[in-house]
Every structure is written in structure tokens, then in C-alpha cells.
Amino acid sequence: MTDTTTETDTLVVAGRTYRSRLLVGTGKYRDLEQTRLAIEASGAEIVTIAVRRTNMGQTPGEPNILDVLPPERYTILPNTAGCYDVDTTVRTCRLARELLDGHNLVKLEVLGDERTLFPDVVATIQAAEILVADGFDVMVYTNDDPIVAKRLEEIGCIAVMPLAAPIGSGLGIRNPLNIRTIVENAQVPILVDAGVGTASDAAVAMELGCDGILMNTAIAAARDPILMAGAMRKAIEAGREAYRAGRMPAKRFASASSPIEGLFF
Amino acid sequence: MTDTTTETDTLVVAGRTYRSRLLVGTGKYRDLEQTRLAIEASGAEIVTIAVRRTNMGQTPGEPNILDVLPPERYTILPNTAGCYDVDTTVRTCRLARELLDGHNLVKLEVLGDERTLFPDVVATIQAAEILVADGFDVMVYTNDDPIVAKRLEEIGCIAVMPLAAPIGSGLGIRNPLNIRTIVENAQVPILVDAGVGTASDAAVAMELGCDGILMNTAIAAARDPILMAGAMRKAIEAGREAYRAGRMPAKRFASASSPIEGLFF
Amino acid sequence: MTDTTTETDTLVVAGRTYRSRLLVGTGKYRDLEQTRLAIEASGAEIVTIAVRRTNMGQTPGEPNILDVLPPERYTILPNTAGCYDVDTTVRTCRLARELLDGHNLVKLEVLGDERTLFPDVVATIQAAEILVADGFDVMVYTNDDPIVAKRLEEIGCIAVMPLAAPIGSGLGIRNPLNIRTIVENAQVPILVDAGVGTASDAAVAMELGCDGILMNTAIAAARDPILMAGAMRKAIEAGREAYRAGRMPAKRFASASSPIEGLFF
Amino acid sequence: MTDTTTETDTLVVAGRTYRSRLLVGTGKYRDLEQTRLAIEASGAEIVTIAVRRTNMGQTPGEPNILDVLPPERYTILPNTAGCYDVDTTVRTCRLARELLDGHNLVKLEVLGDERTLFPDVVATIQAAEILVADGFDVMVYTNDDPIVAKRLEEIGCIAVMPLAAPIGSGLGIRNPLNIRTIVENAQVPILVDAGVGTASDAAVAMELGCDGILMNTAIAAARDPILMAGAMRKAIEAGREAYRAGRMPAKRFASASSPIEGLFF
């Protein structure tokens, strides 16, 4: 029997417990104030920062994102957006660890090309092996291939983050069956990373059994980012609760005695 | 410009203002206590009752649904579920008005057959004309045909309620473009009635611009109806806020300068 | 056991037997020569002509479509495109019958508005009753509502022609379950009329069990209408044969012992 | 400008020219005679054989598939179905080359697990490098990741064969945008391998611009495999011709001046 108390339905990442299953990025906002307000409205407790694009201390004297997102309040998740090879990626993670005083948590992404922003899964696997051996807690962006996802888990990544659709596309869950298969196979948290466009997309991902969602553009590029941040917060809770509540079976008609099958549309 | 204050984003039906956009039915629950708890968790302020299947006073001495759903707290929306012709439908509405001391609000449905539970739109139009002339405030269940929906509005129905999918199917929004077209054409509230199966379906309907959703089986036939009721409440709020927030454009890749087009999948 | 001989798998309309299940229109071509070549490549044996837009003898001295489409070779199917009310529609059918020397076959369409080109099903039903009583063989354009489709059959229409999507949209089969339900309920031929955009759309309609498809824009508005006409011919044969051959069950994985179910995407 | 002459629209693989774009397997048929008849009806010129499951000479004295599929008539494409590691895969290709007297063409597949039959793309890349260096003409089964597909092309594979859906699932093209992206990026033929369930699926793959399709279960597991084989032949020709003919733009309504956009369903 599912526990109906939402209070105890928490996400655990790297030994820490979170009540929010929404992770957010910091790019594409109008200014730091809008960033701050949107993140607050989202209820996110983990915020990812693109180390190569954002000042988190590398450039003293410039505005520092950590002033807006104090590490006491938010778990900072440095990411390697913009890295296209293993060496740059690994170096970027080490830089982040220095800037954050030994903080081991990173989101690894090694991109395959500039057009699609799909991951290079071969390079991703190599970088994951190096980073895990070097003591990092690695959350890893990948495609929606169940075999690659399992391999990343076996290497020791603490969370696997398949794409729902290309980064920044807003196309929603392109291949729900793949995401579902990844979830079924996993012993670590599965978080959808990239592709969510609106609230229902987030609900779908959670209904598939994902443990959380990371998003940025869907909030930041909405006409009203702060209102959308709240919508996403509710959508993820709704999708999670619907997953836990166990949906009614789909069937062609109420009168039918069995679920829909045979026909396939 | 959209008003970002959710407090003022209300649903107005027959001159009354509601904060909840979720309308629920009372069928298929284990018992009246589960009915009561689920409806409470849903946050619904309008509850629909099948006059021909539920005791709302017709059978003195039996348990009365109005004891669980006091009309001081809930707007009672009698419906004509189980009616297959104009006469029975009109008589059922008049009976409900008597039982509820002159309460004029009804949900009209005239079904076409027992297998699909699709409406008979010709009979529905005839019954709507009679009921409107007789002073009823008619909310009307219909198919997803934009021409029929407009006709029902022109007759004087105060809300038009197209199906998303067959009653009790849980198949979700089968034809979003039709629902969208109905919404674009309407001057009265459009509420999806029938077919929602899980939280994301509800969010999709609201993102299409619907004013609300009526559901029953999706909550009552979930493994945990009370948890699902709360999920639906959040999903509808999430979908509504996402609609008002203005979603990001969908495009194939972040790098693309224009929305997705040309390709059609 | 399905008869595997395609030669005997024929379409019967108004007592005549056809080997082609593709019906085509004559609008939107560059000129009469392209019309002729495309129709020839399509293999169609029934060609529909918009009486109010095409000269089939009303205007002596002008080019006459029947010179290109001789009635000895093609079954001419006059249609009432552009009619928005019962009277005009009925008059248009009678005019066609005169021009074609007593030919009783018509395609009835009564449109609901100019934007969507959806049918007005109430007016369609009324016109069908008049035309059937007047001795016409009525093929009828309608929405994809199973109750309306059955009603039109009961009135005596010889074929029911639900839309797949709005006329001229090319969006394909928007609601396959509705089309499937119409097919299951029918004793007369069901032909998809409107909405097909490309070859796979036509195959899908046939795989749902439809008896044929009527199309115009999908051929005429292709970059190469003549090549597309041949593609449509093959797609309809392919879809029909796949329907008769009995497709493999869909399942998540080859290893699964049962069809896909429970999960619903 | 597309050449509209189908006669010259050929598939070139490893320097040979084919008129058929349908490649078929030999598994799951009732007997060798049904295999022969279905392949004949399909019009296929390239037939793939699972070396580890089929006798193509390894077991003298047993029925030999090459008696049914004479190499003078068919291009034999040995495949490594059932291989889960690089060594076994490479050895299987070398065995096939010996059995076929130096024939260099192989279809490489290295599977990731027995449940999903997804490829192990890391092992696939390694095996491809070895086989290309050893002089094989490698056609390669892969997932639908555009970065992996391009990498396999760069290694020197002569054709890349992404899955549409899991092997033997019949689920059709799960992620058309990925397949489309792979096609856009490619300089070698892209053939969908696995997942097609019925004729319309095959047409969709071709309309996306694929150069061909390899299938087995969709034909062999149909109720009438021989009729389905013919359906697939026509569906692939239809889809190819529709692709070359340039489909009409999809739009919400005929009256709309621009293609569908903004709305995303």
C-alpha cells in the first residue's frame, strides 16, 4: 500500500533529503532579481549553475550568483554545460569543487554537437568513470537509452538524468516508453533533464515514475516566469501524487471489462 | 496582459464565483465517507449528482447524498446521466429542481447509446432549447464538434462541456485541436467533461484554455482516490497557471530561431 | 480466414463495384491537364465535383470538367461543397441530377462555418432525410461522432464519410478511436473524407478498417501532385492489405508474453 | 529538384544498386516455404540472416537457408543477432565471411540486454572499428541517438540503422524527430531497423526521409504473412514517393494562411 503522506515522500540525493522534486537552472532570466523570484516560486531546493557561463566566484568583483542563491539555503549543483570533450568537462568539475570549497556534487554533461545539444554518451561514460574515481558525486545528463542509463548507474553515478527532448526545445516527453524502461531498471534516482516545455510535460514525467525533473528554459522563457515556476511546482507534485495514487486503467469505454489493447494508436 | 494574481483568476458560473476549476461527481466510491473525503481533498466547490442514480431526497428514509454534501457548502449540480431521450431528460431536470427547492442549475446530458456513452447531439440541442425556455441554467455535455458547441451556446446554455474522451475511459484529451477550437470560439465557460484519466490529462485540458474540468472516474477509480483527488486539484491549478503564464515556444532545438513547423509529427 | 486475393476485395457503392478505394476531388490543380494526369495516376474510379464551383454543364461554352473526366470512365460524384444551409444543399443536388441526366449519386455536405469547414450535423441530418426521400443515393460528409454516423446510416445514406481532420488541413487522423468505433458500428461503407495529408495518413485510415478515402488537397497541393497521386494509390492498397493481413500485436518488447497494456501513452 | 522517375530512385549499398528499399529477415516463419513466399511477395532484394540461429552451411546435412534464398538472386546480409559482446560479434562476422566465400557485407548488432534488445552502443562502436579495419562493409544497428549515428558513419560504416522501437515490439516510430535528425545529418544510407508493426509505420519512416527499412516480425507474425509482405512493399514505395512528392503543409484549417505552429500537441 502506498503511503499517502506526502510529507514522507522525499527525494534523496547524495545522502541529503529534499521535499521538492523540481531542480532548476539559472540561465536566460532577465536579471538576477527575476532569477531569484522564479526560483523561490518554484520551491526548488537544488539549483544548477553552468560553471563556464556563470560567475560563482571565478571573476571577483562581478555579480556572483551565490549572492542570490546562498549555499546555506540551496544545494548548488555545478554543471558542465558547454563542454564538448572529456578533459574540459573534468577540469570544469574540479574548478567548481575548488570554488565551492570541496563540494563534491556535480551535474556532468558532455555535449555531442552545438546544434542538437545531445550528449556524447561515449565521452560521458569516460568522464563519469574519471569523476567517480576522483570522489565526485555525479549526477549525469544522458540520452534516453536504457542500456546507457544502466551503465552510468553501474559506474557509480548517484543519479541518472535522461533527456525528455532536446535541451531548450520544450517538446515534452518524446519517448515515454524509454523513460519508463529506464525508471524500471534503476536503483538510483532518475530525473528528467531537458525538454520539458509546460506543466503537463512535467506531470507526465512524474507519472512515468521519475524521481524529479530539472528544467530551466520552460520557466525562464515563459511569458511570466514567476507564474510558470509556481505552475511547475504544482505540476510536479500533481504528477508525483498521481503516480503514487495509481491511476485508473485506460479503456475504450466505461462499459468495457478490460483495459485498452489490441488496437494501438 | 494576464493578471498574475491567482486570487482573482476565478470561474464564474450562473453568476456565482468559484476559486476551484475542478468539478467532481459522486459515483463509484466505496462508500459515502470515501466520497466525502475525496471531494474535500479535490477542493471542488461544484459537485454533480446523477439524479436517476443517487438519492437526493426522492427516497425518504435512505441515506441522502446531500447529508454528505450540504448545499450550503457545495453548489449542487444535478445531472441527467442515464437519460437517452428528450422527454426523460427534461423530466429529470424538473424533478431535480423540485427536490432542490427551485434550484435552476442542471447539467444536461442526453446519451446516444449505452456502449460509447457519447451524447446524442440532436436530442441534446432539443432538450437544451426546452430547458432554457423553462428557466434552467443549463450546463451541457456534448461531443467535441465546434459547430455543435457554438450552437449550444447560442441557444443560451451557460456553459458548454465537451468530452475529452468517452465517459469512464480515462483516455485523456483525444483531440486537443477540437477542444482548442471550441475554446477560441466561445463566449461562455468551456469545461471538459469526461475522459480525463490522470493528472497530466487535466493539466493538458487547462493549458488548452478550458475554464474547468468535470471528472468522476479518474478520482473514484484510482487505487487511492483521496490522494488522486489532491493530485487533480494541483494539476488543474498547474495547467491553468501555465496557460496564463504563456508557455515557451516549442522548437526542434534550442539553437533554432523559429518554432517547430514544416515537419509534422 | 481472410481472402488473400486482392482481386475480390472490392468496394461496392450504390450497387456498383470498384477496385479502387481512393476517391478524389478536382479542386486546386494548376490546370485541367494536371487534374487529368493526377486522377489517372491515383487510379480513382469515383471523382467528386463541387457543383457550385465547377462547370459541369451549367455554363455552356466554358471548359467542362466532364470533357476531362468522361462519365463512361469515371463515376461522377457531385458534391455540395460551399453549401451552408439545407435548402441550398438540396437545390444543388437537384441541379446536379438534371445536369447528369438523372444520375442519383451525390455527396452531401452542409458546412457549419467558413473557418473550420466542419459540417453542421443537424442540417446535414435534415438534408439527408429530404434527399433520401427524393430518391438520391446519398454519401454524406460528417464529423467523427459515432452516434451521428449511425443516425445518418439509419436515415438511409449509402455511405458515411467522417472527417479525419478539418478539410484542407492535412493533419491526418486526429481521433483514430472515433473512426474505429464508427467502422465497428456500420453496415454501410465508411470512407474518410477530409484531413489526410500524406501517404501514411491514408494507410492509417485503411488499417482502422475504413472502406475507402476521399481526398483532394493532399494530392493537388503536393509539390508534385502526380507523384503523390501514385503514392496515395499505393498507400491505400498497403493499408487495406495490412488490415486484411492482421497486424502483429504491439508489445513493449519482443520478450513480453502479452500485448502492451496498463501503461498508456 | 527531385527526379520524379521512380525507375531511377534507387538504393545504393556497398556499391550495388537496388530497386527495393525493403530489407527482410528470415525468422519466425512457419516453415521455409512460407519464408520463401513471404520474401518473394515483399520484393526484397537484400535478406538478412542471423548467423547464430540459422543454418547457412555451418551444419552440413541440415536444411540450408541459402537453398531457399539463392545468393545469385538475393544479397545475403549476415547479422550478429544474439551477440552481447564485441568478441563474439566480431567472430560471428568472420564466420559468416568464410561461409559466404569472402562476402564482406554484414549487419552488426551488439545487444545490451535480453529484455529490451536495445543495442549496447559503446560495444557497437568498438566492434564497428574492428570490422571496418578488417575490410568489412558494415551496416550497423543502433539506437536513435543522432550523435551515435554520426559517430558510426565517421568510423566508416556504410549504412546506419537506427531502431524505430524495440526489436519485435511493433510499436512504430517512437521518436520521429530523432530519426529525422539522423537523416538530415547523414552522408550514408539511413535504414530503420526494428520496431515497425504495420504498413503505416513503414510509410512514416520513409516520409521522414529514410533510405529503407529492415523488418522481420511485422511480416512473419502477421496473421497472413504473405499478404502483409505485399502490403509492406507498397507502403514503403508509397512513403518514399510521398517524401519525394513533397507533402502539402499541415495547417489547422484550409482557410489558414500559414502552417500550424504556436500550438503544440
Side-chain angles (χ1 to χ4, degrees), chain C residues 1-4 6 28 114-118 166-172 174 196-201 203-204 207 217-219 221-225 227-228 230-232 234-235 237-255 260 265, chain D residues 1-4 6 28 114-118 166-171 174 196-201 203-204 207 217-219 221-225 227-228 230-232 234-235 237-256 260 265:
Chain C
M1 183 60 201
T2 302
D3 180 352
T4 59
T6 296
K28 303 186 190 176
E114 296 187 4
R115 178 176 179 236
T116 66
L117 304 180
F118 261 71
I167 292 175
S169 69
L171 289 169
R174 293 286 89 196
V196 163
T198 187
S200 55
D201 297 337
V204 168
E207 288 164 357
T217 313
I219 296 175
R223 197 176 57 223
D224 182 338
L227 185 56
M228 185 59 92
M232 288 298 185
K234 288 178 183 169
E237 293 178 9
R240 178 68 182 176
E241 290 173 18
Y243 172 71
R244 292 171 60 231
R247 63 159 291 161
M248 65 177 287
K251 42 191 177 177
R252 280 185 68 191
F253 304 111
S255 53
I260 190 163
F265 312 123
Chain D
M1 185 57 203
T2 303
D3 179 350
T4 60
T6 297
K28 303 185 192 176
E114 295 187 4
R115 179 176 178 237
T116 66
L117 304 180
F118 260 72
I167 291 175
S169 68
L171 289 169
R174 295 285 88 195
V196 163
T198 187
S200 56
D201 297 338
V204 168
E207 288 164 357
T217 312
I219 296 175
R223 198 177 57 222
D224 182 338
L227 186 56
M228 186 59 93
M232 289 297 186
K234 288 177 184 170
E237 291 177 10
R240 178 66 182 178
E241 289 172 20
Y243 172 71
R244 293 169 61 230
R247 63 159 291 162
M248 65 176 287
K251 42 191 178 177
R252 279 185 69 192
F253 304 112
S255 53
I260 191 164
F265 313 124

Side-chain angles (χ1 to χ4, degrees), chain B:
Chain B
M1 184 59 201
T2 304
D3 179 352
T4 59
T5 312
T6 297
E7 281 62 34
T8 62
D9 176 52
T10 52
L11 171 67
V12 178
V13 173
R16 279 183 68 174
T17 299
Y18 300 93
R19 292 183 57 170
S20 169
R21 293 175 178 276
L22 173 53
L23 292 72
V24 296
T26 63
K28 303 186 191 176
Y29 287 99
R30 199 176 50 211
D31 53 31
L32 282 182
E33 178 62 5
Q34 195 187 47
T35 311
R36 191 183 66 77
L37 289 171
I39 292 175
E40 201 163 287
S42 77
E45 298 166 282
I46 302 177
V47 180
T48 191
I49 296 175
V51 180
R52 292 166 62 83
R53 293 192 191 131
T54 316
N55 183 27
M56 48 190 291
Q58 307 98 307
T59 316
E62 298 276 309
N64 186 328
I65 189 82
L66 300 182
D67 295 339
V68 174
L69 302 169
E72 310 82 71
R73 173 156 176 201
Y74 294 104
T75 294
I76 301 299
L77 176 61
N79 71 62
T80 62
C83 294
Y84 289 84
D85 63 79
V86 174
D87 280 0
T88 312
T89 305
V90 170
R91 261 189 291 113
T92 300
C93 289
R94 289 176 179 153
L95 169 63
R97 183 160 58 179
E98 277 172 44
L99 290 169
L100 293 170
D101 301 320
H103 174 88
N104 278 321
L105 189 68
V106 291
K107 181 163 87 83
L108 166 62
E109 46 183 287
V110 190
L111 301 180
D113 70 27
E114 296 187 4
R115 179 176 179 235
T116 65
L117 303 181
F118 261 71
D120 177 336
V121 293
V122 175
T124 299
I125 288 169
Q126 292 170 357
E129 286 169 341
I130 294 168
L131 291 167
V132 168
D134 195 15
F136 282 94
D137 289 328
V138 179
M139 303 177 74
V140 58
Y141 167 64
T142 183
N143 62 16
D144 64 2
D145 179 323
I147 304 299
V148 173
K150 195 65 190 175
R151 176 78 170 270
L152 290 164
E153 176 184 335
E154 288 164 355
I155 285 171
C157 294
I158 62 159
V160 176
M161 306 181 71
L163 55 77
I167 292 175
S169 69
L171 290 169
I173 316 296
R174 294 287 88 195
N175 196 332
L177 280 172
N178 276 11
I179 299 293
R180 179 67 186 168
T181 301
I182 290 172
V183 166
E184 289 171 354
N185 289 349
Q187 306 293 326
V188 295
I190 301 299
L191 299 97
V192 157
D193 180 10
V196 163
T198 188
S200 56
D201 297 338
V204 168
M206 298 309 294
E207 288 164 357
L208 289 167
C210 291
D211 298 277
I213 303 177
L214 189 151
M215 66 178 77
N216 183 8
T217 312
I219 296 175
R223 199 176 55 222
D224 182 338
I226 297 163
L227 186 56
M228 186 59 92
M232 289 298 185
R233 175 187 196 150
K234 288 178 183 170
I236 286 176
E237 292 178 9
R240 178 67 182 178
E241 290 172 18
Y243 173 70
R244 293 170 60 231
R247 64 159 290 161
M248 65 176 288
K251 42 192 179 176
R252 280 186 67 192
F253 303 112
S255 53
S257 55
S258 64
I260 190 164
E261 59 184 47
L263 294 169
F264 190 78
F265 311 123

Side-chain angles (χ1 to χ4, degrees), chain A residues 176-193:
Chain A
L177 281 172
N178 276 11
I179 299 293
R180 177 69 186 167
T181 302
I182 291 172
V183 166
E184 289 171 352
N185 290 348
Q187 307 293 326
V188 295
I190 302 299
L191 299 97
V192 157
D193 180 9

Side-chain angles (χ1 to χ4, degrees), chain C residues 170-228:
Chain C
L171 289 169
I173 317 295
R174 293 286 89 196
N175 195 334
L177 281 172
N178 276 11
I179 299 293
R180 178 68 185 167
T181 301
I182 291 172
V183 167
E184 289 171 352
N185 291 348
Q187 306 293 326
V188 294
I190 302 299
L191 299 98
V192 157
D193 180 9
V196 163
T198 187
S200 55
D201 297 337
V204 168
M206 299 309 294
E207 288 164 357
L208 289 167
C210 291
D211 297 277
I213 303 176
L214 189 152
M215 66 179 78
N216 184 8
T217 313
I219 296 175
R223 197 176 57 223
D224 182 338
I226 297 163
L227 185 56
M228 185 59 92

